[in-house]
C-alpha cells in the first residue's frame, strides 16, 4: 500500500514563476520528510528535508512546508529555472528507521 | 569525492537466468541500501546493511532475491530464476549512519536498469 502519495504526475510552469509540488502521507509514525530530485539516467539527489518538529524549512530557492494535522507537505521552488526540470520525489521515514517510503514522483517542466 | 557507483548500468537477460548487480558505496559510509524502482513508481525499499550484516531484508519480494556485503563496503544484489516482473531500475544508496537519531541523508547511485525478456 502506498503510504506516500504524489497525486500530480506532472507540472508545467513558466520560468521565473513558482512551482508548488504536493505530497500526502498516511502513516502517522512518519516524522522525517525529504524531497529528492532526479534527472534522467541519474539516481535521485537529495534536495531538502524537514523534521516533524518544524513546519517550514527553507534552503535558497527551495522551501518545504509541513502540515502534520493534514498529513501533507509541499515543496515550493521560487523562482523556477530551466535546470529545475526533473522528476521530484517526496519521501518519508520514521526518524530512528532507515527505510525511505517514496511517492511516485512529479515531473516538473520549466518553460522558457 | 566519488559518489555511489553501480555496475552494470544496463543488464538484459532472459527469463530464468541468474543476475548479479554491484554497488560501490561512498567511502566511509557504513550503511547501504537497495531499492527497486518500477516504471512510473517511486523507489521501493528492498534491504538495508549496517556494516557487513543485513539489518533489515523485509523488502525483498521473495527468496529469489539475495544480497551480500561481505567486507562492509561493496554490495551485490543477486536475483535467481529471473522473471519478467523483475524488470526495473535497481538503485543503491549509502549513508554515514552517525546514529544521531535523525535519518542520515541517503546518497543514491545512478541505478542498474534490468530488463528480463
Amino acid at each position: 500500500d502506498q503510504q506516500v502519495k504524489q497525486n500530480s504526475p506532472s507540472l508545467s510552469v513558466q520560468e521565473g514563476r513558482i512551482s508548488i509540488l504536493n505530497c500526502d502521507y498516511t502513516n502517522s509514525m512518519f516524522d522525517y520528510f525529504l524531497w529528492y530530485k532526479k534527472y534522467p539516467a541519474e539516481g535521485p539527489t537529495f534536495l531538502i528535508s524537514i523534521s516533524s518538529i518544524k513546519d517550514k524549512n527553507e534552503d535558497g530557492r527551495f522551501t518545504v512546508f509541513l502540515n502534520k494535522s493534514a498529513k501533507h507537505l509541499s515543496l515550493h521552488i521560487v523562482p523556477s529555472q530551466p535546470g529545475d526540470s526533473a522528476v521530484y520525489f517526496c519521501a518519508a521515514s520514521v526518524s530512528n528507521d532507515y527505510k525511505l517510503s517514496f511517492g511516485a514522483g512529479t515531473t516538473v517542466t520549466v518553460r522558457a | 569525492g566519488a559518489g555511489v557507483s553501480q555496475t552494470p548500468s544496463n543488464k538484459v537477460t532472459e527469463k530464468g537466468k541468474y543476475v548479479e548487480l554491484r554497488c560501490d558505496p561512498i567511502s566511509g559510509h557504513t550503511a547501504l541500501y537497495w531499492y527497486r524502482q518500477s516504471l512510473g513508481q517511486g523507489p521501493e525499499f528492498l534491504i538495508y546493511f549496517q556494516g557487513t550484516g543485513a539489518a533489515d531484508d523485509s523488502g525483498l519480494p521473495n527468496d529469489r532475491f539475495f544480497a551480500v556485503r561481505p567486507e562492509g563496503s561493496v554490495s551485490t544484489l543477486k536475483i535467481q530464476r529471473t522473471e519478467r516482473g523483475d524488470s526495473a531500475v535497481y538503485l543503491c544508496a549509502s549513508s554515514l549512519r552517525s546514529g544521531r537519531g535523525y535519518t542520515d541523508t541517503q546518497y543514491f547511485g545512478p541505478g542498474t536498469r534490468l530488463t528480463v525478456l
Side-chain angles (χ1 to χ4, degrees):
Chain A
D1 60 335
Q2 232 14 37
Q3 298 186 78
V4 178
K5 296 180 182 179
Q6 294 176 257
N7 292 319
S8 297
S10 63
L11 172 70
S12 181
V13 63
Q14 193 164 12
E15 183 178 2
R17 300 292 191 109
I18 183 171
S19 293
I20 300 177
L21 291 78
N22 293 302
C23 177
D24 297 291
Y25 61 96
T26 57
N27 187 343
S28 59
M29 296 295 292
F30 287 148
D31 60 1
Y32 191 68
F33 305 89
L34 311 89
W35 286 92
Y36 277 83
K37 176 179 178 179
K38 185 181 182 305
Y39 292 119
E42 295 184 10
T45 303
F46 171 74
L47 192 58
I48 192 169
S49 64
I50 188 168
S51 75
S52 59
I53 61 173
K54 296 183 175 181
D55 54 18
K56 175 183 174 181
N57 188 28
E58 189 173 352
D59 183 2
R61 297 185 297 113
F62 302 92
T63 302
V64 56
F65 296 92
L66 176 62
N67 182 335
K68 290 188 293 292
S69 61
K71 294 192 178 67
H72 177 85
L73 64 156
S74 61
L75 174 68
H76 292 206
I77 307 173
V78 184
S80 299
Q81 299 175 352
D84 296 332
S85 296
V87 179
Y88 290 79
F89 290 101
C90 172
S93 73
V94 178
S95 62
N96 63 352
D97 204 338
Y98 34 81
K99 290 182 271 196
L100 293 178
S101 296
F102 283 87
T106 297
T107 301
V108 172
T109 303
V110 180
R111 310 184 309 272
Chain B
V4 178
S5 63
Q6 293 185 244
T7 54
S9 55
N10 281 284
K11 176 71 178 177
V12 180
T13 191
E14 293 179 343
K15 178 173 178 281
K17 299 287 189 182
Y18 168 82
V19 296
E20 289 189 351
L21 312 179
R22 176 187 165 109
C23 172
D24 277 270
I26 293 172
S27 177
H29 281 192
T30 59
L32 186 145
Y33 317 78
W34 284 97
Y35 291 82
R36 178 168 74 172
Q37 185 179 8
S38 300
L39 193 63
Q41 302 297 317
E44 290 180 286
F45 170 80
L46 293 178
I47 187 170
Y48 157 64
F49 287 90
Q50 180 59 40
T52 60
D56 183 352
D57 64 358
S58 63
L60 295 178
N62 52 60
D63 61 6
R64 296 186 297 105
F65 289 75
F66 189 71
V68 296
R69 194 186 185 199
E71 297 178 359
S73 180
V74 170
S75 176
T76 304
L77 179 65
K78 308 181 181 194
I79 310 174
Q80 298 178 323
R81 303 183 305 280
T82 52
E83 299 177 356
R84 292 193 179 88
D86 299 335
S87 296
V89 175
Y90 289 81
L91 293 162
C92 176
S94 69
S95 74
L96 275 173
R97 284 305 286 179
S98 63
R100 291 170 297 183
Y102 285 112
T103 304
D104 293 313
T105 299
Q106 294 183 26
Y107 296 89
F108 283 82
T112 293
R113 181 175 296 279
L114 175 66
T115 303
V116 182
L117 301 176

